[in-house]
Amino acid sequence: GAGVSQSPRYKVAKRGQDVALRCDPISGHVSLFWYQQALGQGPEFLTYFQNEAQLDKSGLPSDRFFAERPEGSVSTLKIQRTQQEDSAVYLCASSLDIGGTEAFFGQGTRLTVV
Amino acid sequence: AQSVTQLDSHVSVSEGTPVLLRCNYSSSYSPSLFWYVQHPNKGLQLLLKYTSAATLVKGINGFEAEFKKSETSFHLTKPSAHMSDAAEYFCVVRNTGGFKTIFGAGTRLFVKA
């Protein structure tokens, strides 16, 4: 596709449910980032992949959060046993270069935990 | 440690007047700095970036920013605001060679006719 695609666009989960959020980066992009954006705030870094390698996961808030990019393309962010504080927009970004000096963002997945 | 402070949560200007969105950063290493814009229901878009080349950086849509190391600032400016500039703007810092990216809290720009 022409841009970064995220699915689903909206997800409502009951507290305690597991969710999986998908990111399709721009084809050939080496770098992939995940961010969490709470209402009224700036995006917060979660994790970074260089191809299939997860080089930085320092922003993942707890061990309930897990991300993977097994073939260096599509990435999935999984949240186990969702809690209300997980409600946010989850953004994915990809970049052609290592480190992502010019990152292209998807429109995000809005997760609401009820 | 890195941090970013956007000094104004809201800025309101009249169409045709200059825009100034202020950003201060803190970084232990030589930083890369970015400005992104977020229009409603659209993804974040890169406006411009500083990566240790020229300190005055020109971006898209007539925006520019100046890296001032002595002031640890990276303010975003535009000579003449347009209605289509109304959006949320984020200042972003990353340590050169690192991957963790820190966003400011954002500045919402309102443009009055």
Side-chain angles (χ1 to χ4, degrees):
Chain A
V4 178
S5 178
Q6 292 187 245
S7 61
R9 287 293 313 280
Y10 303 92
K11 175 70 178 177
V12 178
K14 291 185 178 179
R15 190 166 45 185
Q17 187 178 353
D18 297 350
V19 299
L21 312 180
R22 178 185 170 107
C23 173
D24 283 83
I26 295 173
S27 179
H29 276 199
V30 169
S31 294
L32 187 144
F33 299 80
W34 282 100
Y35 297 87
Q36 180 191 60
Q37 186 174 20
L39 189 64
Q41 297 183 20
E44 291 198 9
F45 172 86
L46 294 177
T47 187
Y48 167 77
F49 288 88
Q50 186 180 117
N51 296 309
E52 69 279 4
Q54 189 175 21
L55 298 186
D56 190 333
K57 55 181 181 179
S58 62
L60 295 176
S62 76
D63 59 7
R64 295 186 297 104
F65 286 71
F66 172 77
E68 61 183 4
R69 194 186 185 198
E71 297 179 0
S73 178
V74 172
S75 178
T76 304
L77 176 67
K78 297 179 179 178
I79 309 173
Q80 296 177 322
R81 304 181 303 281
T82 53
Q83 300 176 6
Q84 282 193 313
E85 60 262 31
D86 299 334
S87 295
V89 175
Y90 290 85
L91 298 169
C92 176
S94 71
S95 176
L96 185 60
D97 64 319
I98 294 171
T101 54
E102 183 165 356
F104 294 84
F105 280 78
Q107 289 194 265
T109 294
R110 182 178 296 279
L111 173 65
T112 303
V113 181
V114 298
Chain B
Q2 310 159 74
S3 67
V4 175
T5 302
Q6 292 185 242
L7 297 163
D8 307 290
S9 59
H10 299 85
V11 170
S12 182
V13 300
S14 297
E15 192 174 22
T17 65
V19 175
L20 170 64
L21 304 183
R22 298 182 293 165
C23 172
N24 285 98
Y25 71 91
S26 172
S27 177
S28 303
Y29 305 97
S30 178
S32 296
L33 294 158
F34 311 81
W35 276 97
Y36 279 84
V37 61
Q38 188 173 39
H39 287 91
N41 300 317
K42 290 191 176 180
L44 284 154
Q45 181 183 19
L46 180 67
L47 276 179
L48 50 80
K49 60 185 177 184
Y50 166 78
T51 54
S52 76
T55 56
L56 182 62
V57 182
K58 294 188 184 298
I60 61 171
N61 300 335
F63 284 94
E64 62 182 40
E66 186 172 7
F67 173 69
K68 291 187 177 180
K69 187 175 181 178
S70 61
E71 299 177 10
T72 61
S73 70
F74 191 59
H75 301 334
L76 182 70
T77 60
K78 182 173 180 177
S80 176
H82 191 272
M83 295 296 289
S84 61
D85 295 327
E88 186 93 21
Y89 291 79
F90 293 97
C91 182
V92 181
V93 65
R94 178 189 305 146
N95 284 338
T96 301
F99 307 117
K100 187 168 186 175
T101 310
I102 307 298
F103 278 70
T107 298
R108 182 162 294 277
L109 176 65
F110 297 92
V111 182
K112 299 174 290 186

